[in-house]
Amino acid sequence: MEHAVHQGRRVEEVDFSGVNKDSGNSSQPSVRWGTRRGKRNLSTKGSGFRDSGPASAAHLQDGGRPEETWPGRSRSSGGGTVRAVAAARLARAAPTAAGTALHAEGGRLPLPGGDTEIDWKAYMAEVEGVINGTYDYTQLRGDTGPLVYPAGFVYIFMGLYYATGRGTDIRMAQHIFAVLYLATLLLVFLIYHQTCKVPPFVFFFMCCASYRVHSIFVLRLFNDPVAMVLLFLSINLLLAQRWSWGCCCFSLAVSVKMNVLLFAPGLLFLLLRQFGLHGALPKLGICAVLQVVLGLPFLLENPVGYVSRSFDLGRQFLFRWTVNWRFLPEALFLHRAFHLALLTAHLTLLLLFALCRWHRTGESILSLLKDPSKRKVPLQPLTPNQIVSALFTSNFIGICFSRSLHYQFYVWYFHTLPYLLWATPARWLTHLLRLLVLGLIELSWNTYPSTSCSSGALHMCHAVILLQLWLGPQPFPKTIQHSKKAH
């Protein structure tokens, strides 16, 4: 990371204004929230990410460079977390013996340019507001803007808040996220082991070849990896035929970040296919009840505020951070008609896959609503490949038609790409071409700032994968084919 020198001090903070978390809200004034146990003041000065944003310091060590640097902005001394962060940064700015001692005492990772987190301090400020007694979601804010994640996020990061010394021990947080990364790999390997579709050499690229994914997990401390590890746990439970527990974990993942809902169409199809409408309702009820239970303290305080903030489907994204639509004019990118067109294409392709790729019994799609025992075609047990294919394809279609993808969103589908490329064999797509697709996708996500070429290459790779999923064979297991021949 490059540094500027200002009045004899090394400057570590970079300001890129105009970004608010994932949503890209363009302006946030200085923020205050009241608490029931006293006042907590947090100054955000200006409208941008604080010293590190999803495409500012987030990507400086990922290959980006700041446009300009200047001394860090001051914060009000309203509480322990802010004072500790300010003291630690002062210590890092002045590399004296006292500063070194304070740095070691705080347990922070001694990386050049200071801490590598991006939203961590904002997460901790939002969680601290809940700890101090504020349950109105419209009043919970961090350095980067309002709290926009569901209640499960609050509880999980509240645990991390206490585990990391009120959020100040970033080195400990990075160790925890390193363990989370290993747990994610373990859960993904268990899924792939049951499908038996991906050759072993591909796992090397999954583990070692993505600098961006390692950064998102271990350095940046986003909540996206937390949601995805719960999602992969849910899939493992579904593969073990633990449908109720799988739905419970799926709902818990949604409560951390809403992107998990991209898997929901595939899950709904699987539930109807396995249980029919009557049998699927209790499983869907588990998902709904868990959301209500987790959000109950906030729903009692301000139900409209909680739902509108944590499940905001109309959130606007900033064009400057988009990875996938850089080649479009900004006016078109922000236009609601474009968003509606993407949603229409998303739903249309999901319906086509459900009708032509997932449901091939010869009966109407409405037969899924019937009890399995009353269908004309006898119910066959769902195989691991059918479960994984429906879920991964559903999520991938949603990503292809997303209004915008930011750099941390890469983990939404990175671990599913090998399956999507190798599960449906196509003669025209050799191993070398599949690896080339993976490499181009990785290159697109590592290009900062994104360019028209990187965005175009990403869409071309997505189109190749979609084409293979459409033209490739349906993942029916050999045992079902043999049983059909026997009859």
Side-chain angles (χ1 to χ4, degrees), residues 14-20 24-28 44-56 67-68 70 73 318 320-321:
V14 183
D15 179 84
F16 287 78
S17 62
V19 182
N20 171 29
N25 294 339
S26 58
S27 62
Q28 289 297 334
T44 58
K45 190 174 182 178
S47 61
F49 263 93
R50 61 208 185 304
D51 47 305
S52 49
S56 55
E67 296 177 358
E68 54 181 331
W70 57 76
R73 294 159 291 179
L318 283 179
R320 67 187 304 182
W321 307 131

Side-chain angles (χ1 to χ4, degrees), residues 101 164 182-183 208 210 243-244 311 317 319 325 361 403 437-438 461:
T164 58
L182 295 177
C208 306
S210 180
W243 291 90
S244 296
F311 297 99
F317 294 92
F319 180 68
W325 296 114
T361 61
R403 288 185 291 122
V437 170
L438 284 180
C461 294

Side-chain angles (χ1 to χ4, degrees), residues 353-412:
F353 266 85
L355 291 172
C356 304
R357 305 304 300 157
W358 301 341
H359 184 67
R360 285 186 164 186
T361 61
E363 293 186 86
S364 167
I365 189 71
L366 298 178
S367 64
L368 293 174
L369 302 178
K370 300 179 182 178
D371 187 274
S373 62
K374 298 180 180 179
R375 295 172 188 166
K376 296 179 181 179
V377 179
L379 176 67
Q380 298 290 345
L382 283 169
T383 65
N385 276 293
Q386 288 175 323
I387 294 174
V388 174
S389 178
L391 292 172
F392 284 7
T393 303
S394 172
N395 177 63
F396 182 72
I397 292 172
I399 288 174
C400 289
F401 296 99
S402 293
R403 288 185 291 122
S404 185
L405 294 174
H406 293 177
Y407 286 92
Q408 65 267 33
F409 299 175
Y410 192 20
V411 297
W412 292 4

Side-chain angles (χ1 to χ4, degrees), residues 129-175:
V130 178
I131 293 174
N132 291 338
T134 301
Y135 295 100
D136 185 348
Y137 248 57
T138 62
Q139 301 300 317
L140 292 170
R141 295 176 177 270
D143 290 1
T144 60
L147 174 58
V148 293
Y149 304 120
F153 159 85
V154 174
Y155 300 129
I156 291 175
F157 277 82
M158 189 181 296
L160 294 173
Y161 174 89
Y162 288 113
T164 58
R166 300 177 65 183
T168 59
D169 192 347
I170 294 179
R171 184 177 184 181
M172 174 60 72
Q174 290 176 326
H175 288 166

Side-chain angles (χ1 to χ4, degrees), residues 135-428:
Y135 295 100
D136 185 348
Y137 248 57
T138 62
Q139 301 300 317
L140 292 170
R141 295 176 177 270
D143 290 1
T144 60
L147 174 58
V148 293
Y149 304 120
F153 159 85
V154 174
Y155 300 129
I156 291 175
F157 277 82
M158 189 181 296
L160 294 173
Y161 174 89
Y162 288 113
T164 58
R166 300 177 65 183
T168 59
D169 192 347
I170 294 179
R171 184 177 184 181
M172 174 60 72
Q174 290 176 326
H175 288 166
I176 294 173
F177 272 75
V179 174
L180 185 71
Y181 174 66
L182 295 177
T184 301
L185 286 180
L186 176 61
L187 292 170
V188 170
F189 288 169
L190 289 174
I191 294 172
Y192 279 66
H193 174 70
Q194 296 183 65
T195 60
C196 300
K197 288 290 185 179
V198 180
F201 72 86
V202 179
F203 296 109
F204 168 81
F205 297 95
M206 183 187 294
C207 296
C208 306
S210 180
Y211 174 83
R212 176 69 67 189
V213 169
H214 295 164
S215 172
I216 292 171
F217 268 88
V218 182
L219 296 180
R220 306 313 182 192
L221 308 179
F222 286 114
N223 63 335
D224 304 74
V226 179
M228 293 310 297
V229 73
L230 291 171
L231 184 276
F232 289 128
L233 176 59
S234 169
I235 295 177
N236 274 279
L237 290 169
L238 296 178
L239 292 173
Q241 300 299 312
R242 305 287 184 180
W243 291 90
S244 296
W245 283 108
C247 290
C248 182
C249 282
F250 182 87
S251 183
L252 186 59
V254 172
S255 74
V256 176
K257 194 162 186 177
M258 196 172 51
N259 71 281
V260 179
L261 287 175
L262 294 177
F263 292 86
L267 178 61
L268 177 62
F269 174 85
L270 294 173
L271 289 174
L272 293 175
R273 164 77 164 70
Q274 184 74 6
F275 302 104
L277 179 60
H278 186 267
L281 286 177
K283 308 297 186 295
L284 297 174
I286 291 174
C287 298
V289 169
L290 182 61
Q291 292 297 322
V292 173
V293 170
L294 291 174
L296 191 59
F298 310 102
L299 290 170
L300 292 175
E301 183 72 20
N302 184 352
V304 175
Y306 174 73
V307 174
S308 63
R309 282 288 172 85
S310 57
F311 297 99
D312 182 10
L313 297 175
R315 191 180 308 159
Q316 185 64 274
F317 294 92
L318 283 179
F319 180 68
R320 67 187 304 182
W321 307 131
T322 185
V323 176
N324 57 331
W325 296 114
R326 177 65 61 189
F327 53 84
L328 292 180
E330 184 173 1
L332 177 59
F333 173 84
L334 297 173
H335 203 284
R336 290 295 179 182
F338 174 63
H339 304 163
L340 183 60
L342 289 175
L343 178 61
T344 303
H346 179 193
L347 297 178
T348 301
L349 199 57
L350 278 175
L351 183 60
L352 288 174
F353 266 85
L355 291 172
C356 304
R357 305 304 300 157
W358 301 341
H359 184 67
R360 285 186 164 186
T361 61
E363 293 186 86
S364 167
I365 189 71
L366 298 178
S367 64
L368 293 174
L369 302 178
K370 300 179 182 178
D371 187 274
S373 62
K374 298 180 180 179
R375 295 172 188 166
K376 296 179 181 179
V377 179
L379 176 67
Q380 298 290 345
L382 283 169
T383 65
N385 276 293
Q386 288 175 323
I387 294 174
V388 174
S389 178
L391 292 172
F392 284 7
T393 303
S394 172
N395 177 63
F396 182 72
I397 292 172
I399 288 174
C400 289
F401 296 99
S402 293
R403 288 185 291 122
S404 185
L405 294 174
H406 293 177
Y407 286 92
Q408 65 267 33
F409 299 175
Y410 192 20
V411 297
W412 292 4
Y413 77 136
F414 169 77
H415 294 99
T416 71
L417 289 174
Y419 182 87
L420 296 173
L421 279 167
W422 270 272
T424 54
R427 294 179 180 178
W428 58 274

